[in-house]
Amino acid sequence: MKSGASKPAQLIAISIMMVTSSVAVGQNLQCPDIAKTLKEYSIDSSSSSYLNAVFSQHCQQDGSRKSDGGGIGLEAVVKAIPIKFTGSYSNSEEAVSNFCKTYASQTAATAASDSYKETISLKALETIQQCNALQGSGVTIIHQVNNVEAANFYLRRSVIQPLELQGVAATGNVTCEGLVGGKKKVFDSSISVSVKTTQSFACKRVGQRQAAGSPLFFSESIITVLTNQGNYSLFWPRDERQSENMATQIDRRITLAEGELAVTKANVVPLVKASSLAIYKCPSGAAVSYNAAWMYLGCNGQLSAESTCSNVWYNKPVEVRQCAPAGNLRLFQ
């Protein structure tokens, strides 16, 4: 009896260990890091774009914290905020309160480009909060943006919670596909899958050209994964990519510009190395008069590189006169 009574207890213990182990494995698939997510879109977590998004979501305009600004994932938000805005704090709520007070005085209107980056930052925060909420129930949904036209999604059910995929809604020129039971299926609003363990699918965004040879433009897209445990959304910002033909044309223009620059440089170098020669304006005639058989008049109002000129009389002293500065003459090699 004693040994038999211990078997159910052992089975319960083993079951608990298996459930705990499975949940731990699921939790190893962490939600995206905010700083890393923003970096994919060339946004720094210390930039005004991100900080404005945090302020908009968690703070009042007077610098107080919103009463509904807490919740799951707040620690991740605080972690990405520079410490100069949070100061010392004992918990995430206090850190956000400190941030609201400190940053309220620094909020200002931003340019259109910064405003769009703020939108991206705000949507990234929403995605991570959705991910944390799902992981709170043991369910994992994450994504990876590979480039401007490809993204992947991964779903994992909880050990104790069922996960039903109830559709994938996508805006823009986006189509999604995945394997269900070994068969390829389109993942759109009509897809319905009972996730046994894991499920993945891939999405492709198609770009468009406004004209031949123009950049390939990818419009803004939102992909929402609908499940019985909650939704998960990816905000895919607009982007553009140069065509191969345009890249070739740009390369040719750069090569031509480099050639023209080399010619210009060859013409400029002598100008840079040119020297300067002082020029003087000499007076006309002699300052004195001598009775002599002949004379040589060296001062006759000429321009000269010499600062003096000379008048000479036969068997008399030489008269030296000063010439006035008239400017400089550039001498090129």
Side-chain angles (χ1 to χ4, degrees), residues 58-70:
H58 294 279
C59 308
Q60 303 283 2
Q61 289 300 317
D62 61 0
S64 60
R65 185 168 71 89
K66 290 182 179 178
S67 57
D68 59 346

Side-chain angles (χ1 to χ4, degrees), residues 279-283 302-304 306-308 321-327:
I279 301 299
Y280 300 89
K281 172 69 173 178
C282 295
Q302 79 275 20
L303 291 174
S304 172
E306 301 295 334
S307 60
T308 61
R321 301 191 68 180
Q322 288 293 325
C323 302

Side-chain angles (χ1 to χ4, degrees), residues 41-88:
Y41 305 111
S42 300
I43 301 175
D44 193 279
S45 59
S46 63
S47 67
S48 61
S49 301
Y50 171 69
L51 297 177
N52 285 347
V54 175
F55 188 87
S56 173
Q57 191 174 60
H58 294 279
C59 308
Q60 303 283 2
Q61 289 300 317
D62 61 0
S64 60
R65 185 168 71 89
K66 290 182 179 178
S67 57
D68 59 346
I72 298 173
L74 191 60
E75 184 179 349
V77 174
V78 170
K79 184 180 177 182
I81 299 174
I83 193 171
K84 67 179 180 179
F85 294 114
T86 58
S88 58

Side-chain angles (χ1 to χ4, degrees), residues 1-13:
M1 285 293 292
K2 187 175 182 180
S3 60
S6 64
K7 287 184 178 179
Q10 291 175 353
L11 289 173
I12 292 173

Side-chain angles (χ1 to χ4, degrees), residues 164-199:
E164 301 290 334
L165 176 60
Q166 299 172 337
V168 176
T171 63
N173 290 334
V174 175
T175 56
C176 303
E177 292 183 337
L179 294 177
V180 178
K183 295 182 179 179
K184 182 184 290 187
K185 286 193 174 184
V186 175
F187 277 55
D188 54 17
S189 57
S190 63
I191 189 71
S192 178
V193 179
S194 179
V195 181
K196 302 301 181 183
T197 306
T198 62
Q199 178 66 55

Side-chain angles (χ1 to χ4, degrees), residues 24-42:
V25 170
Q27 290 178 342
N28 284 337
L29 295 167
Q30 298 297 324
C31 293
D33 178 78
I34 292 179
K36 181 180 179 182
T37 301
L38 295 176
K39 193 174 181 181
E40 292 178 353
Y41 305 111
S42 300

Side-chain angles (χ1 to χ4, degrees), residues 221-234:
S221 304
I222 299 176
I223 304 172
T224 304
V225 182
L226 309 170
T227 79
N228 63 317
Q229 296 294 337
N231 299 338
Y232 180 91
S233 298
L234 164 64

